Amino acid sequence: MIRYILRRILLLVPVLVGLSVLVFCIARLLPGDPVRLAAGPNATAADIASVAKEFGLDRPFVVQYWDYATGLLRGDWGVSIFTRRPVAEDLAVYLPATLELVLAAMILAVGLGIPAGLLAAVYRNRWPDFLSRTVSLGAISMPRFFLGLVFQLAFAMWLGWLPLSGRFPLTEDPPPTITGFLTIDALASGNLHAFGVALQYLALPAIAMSLSPLATIMRMMRASTIEVLGQDYVTTERALGLPGRQILFKYVLKNAVSATLTVIGLYFGWLLGGTVLVETVFDWPGIGLYATQAVLSQDFMPIIGVTLCIGALFITVNLIVDLLYGLLNPRVRLG
C-alpha cells in the first residue's frame, strides 16, 4: 500500500509543473495591458516602465516564469498589480469560503445521492426509481445560477426563511477566525448562535450547487448497484440464505460505491472551478468572485494563483479517490 501511495504522489509532480507552465503562458498571452491599466489613464511612458520594473514584467518571459516557479517553492504566489497585496494572502482569505461552500454542497450530494441511488436500484421500476429519475433529470437540466435565483425568490424574497445573499450579516460580529470556515469557527468558539446564522447563509448556495452532483451521483449509484446485484456472488449469497439487508449493505454497497467515487472526485473539482456564477448570484466572498474581479481588471497574478490553487486541490482530491479505490479494491494497488 505504501508503494502504491508513493507512486501516485510521484505522478503528481510533472502534472503540477505542466499546469504551472500552461497557466503562466496563457495568463501572459491574454489580450490587454495590465501594466498600463494599473499605472492609470494619465500615466506617462516612464510611469508605465516603472510599474513594469516593479513587478518584474520588463524581463524576458522565461526569466519571469523561473522567478515565479522558484517563488512558489518558497510560498510566494506573486503580488497583485492592482491591490499591491500578496496573492497568497488573498487566497488565504477567499479560499476557505469557497471550500466551505463546495464541501457543504458535496456533503449534501453524497449524503443524499448514495442512499437515493441505492434505494432506486433496490426498487427498480417502482415508484422510488421513478421519483429519483424525475428529480435527477430536473436537477441536471437547470443551471446552478438559475437555481440560485429561483431559491432566492422563493425562500428569501417570498417566504423570508433564509437570507438573500452574503456569508454573514454585516450587523453582527463573525466568530474569531481559526480555520476560515465560519461554521467550524463558530463551533470551535462555542458560539451556537453564530453557527446557526452561518448555516442559514450557507444553505441556499450549497443546495443550488449540490443538485447537479446529487443527480449524477444518484444515477451512477443506481446503475452500479443494479450491475452488482446481477453478479454471481450475490446470487450465491442469496442461495445460501443470507439476509437481504446484510447482502445489500455488507457486500453490494461497497462494490457499488467504488464506481461512484470517480464521479464524486470529478465533481469536487468541477464545483471548485464552477463557483463563479453561484458566488456572484449570492455575493459569496470566495475565490470565484476574486477571480472574476481579477479577470475584469486583467490582473494575471491572481488569475494564475486561483487556477493553480484549484488545479492543486483537484489533483489532491483525485489522489484521495485513488487511495480510496485501493482500499476498496485491492486489485487496483497491484496495477
Side-chain angles (χ1 to χ4, degrees), residues 199-328:
L199 280 182
Q200 290 177 7
Y201 278 84
L202 180 62
L204 287 183
I207 294 172
M209 290 190 66
S210 69
L211 291 182
S212 180
L214 188 154
T216 305
I217 291 170
M218 185 191 308
R219 301 307 296 169
M220 187 68 184
M221 188 65 190
R222 175 188 179 275
S224 301
T225 304
I226 291 175
E227 181 180 357
V228 174
L229 287 172
Q231 298 295 320
D232 292 338
Y233 73 88
V234 176
T235 305
T236 303
E237 289 165 352
R238 287 173 175 166
L240 293 174
L242 293 179
R245 187 172 301 226
Q246 179 182 353
I247 296 174
L248 184 64
F249 290 103
K250 187 175 181 180
Y251 302 103
V252 174
L253 179 60
K254 177 181 177 181
N255 292 305
V257 166
S258 62
T260 313
L261 279 176
T262 302
V263 176
I264 295 173
L266 291 175
Y267 252 112
F268 187 90
W270 291 337
L271 290 183
L272 279 173
T275 59
V276 176
L277 292 176
V278 173
E279 289 184 355
T280 302
V281 168
F282 287 97
D283 195 23
W284 189 266
I287 57 174
L289 206 57
Y290 177 60
T292 301
Q293 296 168 353
V295 170
L296 293 176
S297 59
Q298 297 179 1
D299 195 355
F300 61 85
M301 276 300 177
I303 297 173
I304 297 173
V306 169
T307 308
L308 285 179
C309 186
I310 292 175
L313 288 171
F314 185 83
I315 292 170
T316 302
V317 169
N318 280 275
L319 173 63
I320 295 173
V321 170
D322 287 343
L323 298 181
L324 291 175
Y325 256 132
L327 291 174
L328 294 174

Side-chain angles (χ1 to χ4, degrees), residues 64-295:
Q64 292 181 40
Y65 173 75
W66 177 256
D67 292 341
Y68 183 74
T70 53
L72 285 177
L73 297 177
R74 300 191 304 269
D76 181 9
W77 291 63
V79 178
S80 169
I81 295 178
F82 286 86
T83 65
R84 298 297 200 274
R85 283 171 49 87
V87 175
E89 293 184 6
D90 289 339
L91 290 177
V93 173
Y94 291 107
L95 181 60
T98 295
L99 284 179
E100 185 175 36
L101 178 59
V102 172
L103 286 174
M106 289 305 299
I107 289 173
L108 288 174
V110 175
L112 297 176
I114 289 180
L118 190 68
L119 187 67
V122 173
Y123 295 97
R124 185 181 180 185
N125 294 327
R126 295 165 67 180
W127 72 264
D129 190 19
F130 292 129
L131 179 62
S132 70
R133 293 182 192 179
T134 304
V135 171
S136 61
L137 288 175
I140 291 177
S141 62
M142 288 187 288
R144 288 193 291 269
F145 74 91
F146 177 75
L147 286 172
L149 292 173
V150 172
F151 288 162
Q152 283 181 325
L153 287 174
F155 297 103
M157 300 294 293
W158 295 342
L159 299 175
W161 291 352
L162 294 170
L164 181 66
S165 62
R167 195 181 179 203
F168 205 80
L170 298 176
T171 56
E172 297 185 24
D173 294 328
T177 301
I178 301 174
T179 64
F181 291 64
L182 287 182
T183 50
I184 296 178
D185 292 345
L187 288 177
S189 60
N191 192 341
L192 295 181
H193 171 71
F195 176 72
V197 171
L199 280 182
Q200 290 177 7
Y201 278 84
L202 180 62
L204 287 183
I207 294 172
M209 290 190 66
S210 69
L211 291 182
S212 180
L214 188 154
T216 305
I217 291 170
M218 185 191 308
R219 301 307 296 169
M220 187 68 184
M221 188 65 190
R222 175 188 179 275
S224 301
T225 304
I226 291 175
E227 181 180 357
V228 174
L229 287 172
Q231 298 295 320
D232 292 338
Y233 73 88
V234 176
T235 305
T236 303
E237 289 165 352
R238 287 173 175 166
L240 293 174
L242 293 179
R245 187 172 301 226
Q246 179 182 353
I247 296 174
L248 184 64
F249 290 103
K250 187 175 181 180
Y251 302 103
V252 174
L253 179 60
K254 177 181 177 181
N255 292 305
V257 166
S258 62
T260 313
L261 279 176
T262 302
V263 176
I264 295 173
L266 291 175
Y267 252 112
F268 187 90
W270 291 337
L271 290 183
L272 279 173
T275 59
V276 176
L277 292 176
V278 173
E279 289 184 355
T280 302
V281 168
F282 287 97
D283 195 23
W284 189 266
I287 57 174
L289 206 57
Y290 177 60
T292 301
Q293 296 168 353
V295 170

Side-chain angles (χ1 to χ4, degrees), residues 33-40 43-59 79-82 84 299-300:
D33 188 353
V35 176
R36 185 177 295 274
L37 288 175
T44 63
D47 295 333
I48 295 173
S50 176
V51 173
K53 184 177 181 180
E54 178 185 354
F55 291 95
L57 300 178
D58 58 335
R59 287 174 288 183
V79 178
S80 169
I81 295 178
F82 286 86
R84 298 297 200 274
D299 195 355
F300 61 85

